[in-house]
Amino acid sequence: MNRENTNYEVLSDEAGRPIKAWTVGVPFEDEAKQQLRNLRGLPFIHKWVAVMPDVHRGYGATVGSVVPTVGAVVPAAVGVDIGCGMIAVRTTLRAEQLPDSLRGVRSAIEAAVPHGRTDNGGRNDRGAWKDAPATHTAAWASLVTGYEQIVAKHKHIGRGPQLGHLGTLGTGNHFIELCLDESDGVWLMLHSGSRGVGNRIGSYFIELAKKDMSRYHIHLPDADLAYLPEGTEHFDDYVFAVSWAQDFAAMNRELMMRSTVEALKTSGELPPFELAESAVNCHHNYISREHHFGKNCFVTRKGAVRAREGDMGIIPGSMGARSYIVRGKGNADAFHSCSHGAGRVMSRTEAKKRFSLDDHAKATEGVECRKDVDVIDETPAAYKPIDAVMAAQADLVEVVHTLKQVVCVKG
């Protein structure tokens, strides 16, 4: 690896476009580097691939990658959690107004927002609505026409929940948190995406792209980098479907935030409060049409947030670690991007082997959250140190607020 300047590192050789990595001072695993080398060899990469400091090996393509393309898109470079992202809002509450025990606050949120997954996602899944609220049904009405257009051509995508998942959290690293900022103001923040329907769209088009590569006799260093050329029917269908899933994801977060606010206002656990400023709602697994270095292109961000000059974004830490509300600096070399979080430093399997319940309890001391064996893979030590991640991207964003969670709800 060559050091080009103090802000980012460059992986370059004659095999493809450069890789510019904002990874100074943070772990950067060899497996992720190899994934990126495979990716940058594709003939339609525009200029270079940008890598954020939370980078780690991902399914199909690297998490923490920013991939500009002209003439084609790679479905795996978005992944299956299409539109996953964050929303946060500051309330008028102050830290001193919170009760000594926050268990009731956590319970109120858990009762208001379906979370987790049971019954293998079947009829009795507690992570989905059995009867969606009227607000959610009305929101679905604004999405259903696009959904029906997708399913009419690609019927497999319709085999699973849609309205039942709108306004629900899911599992894994998705969460709802109550946080305190640097001035003891109280914030609400949550992380989720397009749920089952986005997963079906992503998985379907990744496999469709692989079949197209086989049909065209195109051989790739990694089959997961199968792509859809612009001008083909499958390209158009994918761009439409992924855009729809991103709209679903943004609406999903808005509905969960509304449910959370209403639940806390009526819980009896907190004094009356209002929302103090507009919510920040941003994707970090998505595709968009943008203009960079003289060309219109598609920019795919997998585990990265758009950070144009003035753009507001959210960079969460892990359970027990700080999170940040940030403002973009519009760094052109990074294609106006920043990290989407701390980034995993080990797999979920490794985390479960390495850490005990006692380790997790100590790491999340002072946070009202689950402290059972099923969340050990989300324990803070499974992630990179958020301070190092933020230092590595000082030329990408400026910190506006620093948040520390006191309640964390996970599925």
Side-chain angles (χ1 to χ4, degrees):
M1 181 178 291
N2 300 319
R3 177 72 60 83
E4 186 170 280
N5 62 26
T6 57
N7 298 322
Y8 58 80
E9 302 172 305
V10 180
L11 282 75
S12 62
D13 57 33
E14 296 178 359
R17 302 284 188 175
I19 299 166
K20 296 189 177 183
W22 277 259
T23 51
V24 177
V26 294
F28 190 178
E29 60 189 323
D30 289 340
E31 293 86 350
K33 290 177 185 177
Q34 187 55 52
Q35 277 193 323
L36 291 161
R37 289 188 180 101
N38 291 339
L39 177 64
R40 61 99 174 271
L42 295 173
F44 44 82
I45 299 296
H46 177 49
K47 291 294 184 181
W48 52 78
V49 174
V51 177
M52 301 297 103
D54 54 346
V55 60
H56 58 279
R57 184 181 185 279
Y59 173 75
T62 319
V63 179
S65 59
V66 181
V67 186
T69 60
V70 176
V73 293
V74 181
V78 178
V80 298
D81 199 359
I82 300 170
C84 188
M86 302 286 304
I87 186 171
V89 64
R90 184 167 61 89
T91 76
T92 56
L93 287 168
R94 304 283 303 162
E96 59 268 22
Q97 294 177 290
L98 299 180
D100 292 337
S101 171
L102 292 167
R103 185 174 296 276
V105 170
R106 176 183 158 200
S107 296
I109 297 171
E110 290 175 338
V113 179
H115 55 286
R117 186 175 186 267
T118 58
D119 192 31
N120 293 316
R123 183 173 299 178
N124 297 314
D125 180 15
R126 68 177 175 86
W129 297 106
K130 288 185 174 60
D131 296 299
T135 51
H136 295 51
T137 302
W140 175 247
S142 69
L143 295 166
V144 68
T145 300
Y147 178 73
E148 290 174 345
Q149 186 175 334
I150 295 166
V151 171
K153 293 187 72 174
H154 305 282
K155 291 183 171 51
H156 182 79
I157 292 171
R159 297 175 185 170
Q162 349 84 24
L163 171 58
H165 275 175
L166 189 58
T168 70
L169 186 62
T171 60
N173 62 354
H174 296 160
F175 61 78
I176 303 173
E177 291 183 342
L178 189 79
C179 307
L180 304 181
D181 67 17
E182 66 284 345
S183 301
D184 280 343
V186 177
W187 289 68
L188 294 169
M189 180 170 70
L190 65 85
H191 171 211
S192 192
S194 53
R195 301 288 279 110
V197 65
N199 188 296
R200 295 196 301 276
I201 288 170
S203 299
Y204 176 85
F205 278 100
I206 289 170
E207 293 305 312
L208 198 61
K210 289 180 180 178
K211 291 177 183 176
D212 284 353
M213 295 294 96
S214 177
R215 186 179 302 117
Y216 303 148
H217 302 290
I218 296 173
H219 302 288
L220 299 167
D222 182 346
D224 284 323
L225 296 181
Y227 56 87
L228 301 171
E230 192 166 6
T232 64
E233 182 179 7
H234 289 165
F235 174 95
D236 292 336
D237 290 352
Y238 175 70
V239 170
F240 181 86
V242 79
S243 298
W244 179 88
Q246 289 166 193
D247 290 341
F248 181 103
M251 180 64 72
N252 185 41
R253 291 191 290 273
E254 289 177 12
L255 290 170
M256 279 191 286
M257 184 61 78
R258 289 184 211 169
S259 295
T260 298
V261 169
E262 183 61 25
L264 294 182
K265 283 186 173 183
T266 59
S267 66
E269 297 287 329
L270 301 172
F273 69 91
E274 301 299 329
L275 303 183
E277 57 187 64
S278 299
V280 179
N281 191 351
C282 56
H283 297 313
H284 54 227
N285 284 356
Y286 73 112
I287 191 168
S288 67
R289 300 174 191 263
E290 300 179 13
H291 188 86
H292 294 277
F293 298 103
K295 287 218 173 197
N296 294 325
C297 55
F298 285 91
V299 176
T300 300
R301 295 182 176 91
K302 184 173 186 176
V305 178
R306 186 161 63 188
R308 297 170 302 188
E309 186 172 2
D311 275 349
M312 299 301 292
I314 307 168
I315 303 177
S318 57
M319 296 175 72
R322 286 185 292 274
S323 298
Y324 297 89
I325 307 297
V326 298
R327 183 182 292 113
K329 292 185 175 181
N331 188 303
D333 284 333
F335 300 103
H336 301 164
S337 306
C338 68
S339 84
H340 83 309
R344 296 194 72 90
V345 76
M346 67 183 69
S347 70
R348 295 182 182 278
T349 300
E350 185 180 353
K352 288 180 177 179
K353 290 179 179 177
R354 184 175 297 191
F355 302 112
S356 66
L357 277 177
D358 188 52
D359 293 330
H360 178 63
K362 288 177 180 176
T364 57
E365 188 175 358
V367 181
E368 174 57 47
C369 65
R370 288 176 58 187
K371 301 182 193 283
D372 58 80
V373 68
D374 289 333
V375 293
I376 286 181
D377 57 337
E378 284 293 306
T379 201
Y383 286 82
K384 299 179 186 181
I386 189 64
D387 291 344
V389 168
M390 295 305 295
Q393 59 186 331
D395 63 335
L396 305 185
V397 292
E398 62 176 319
V399 174
V400 179
H401 293 290
T402 301
L403 309 182
K404 178 65 176 69
Q405 75 275 73
V406 290
V407 175
C408 178
V409 171
K410 277 189 176 285

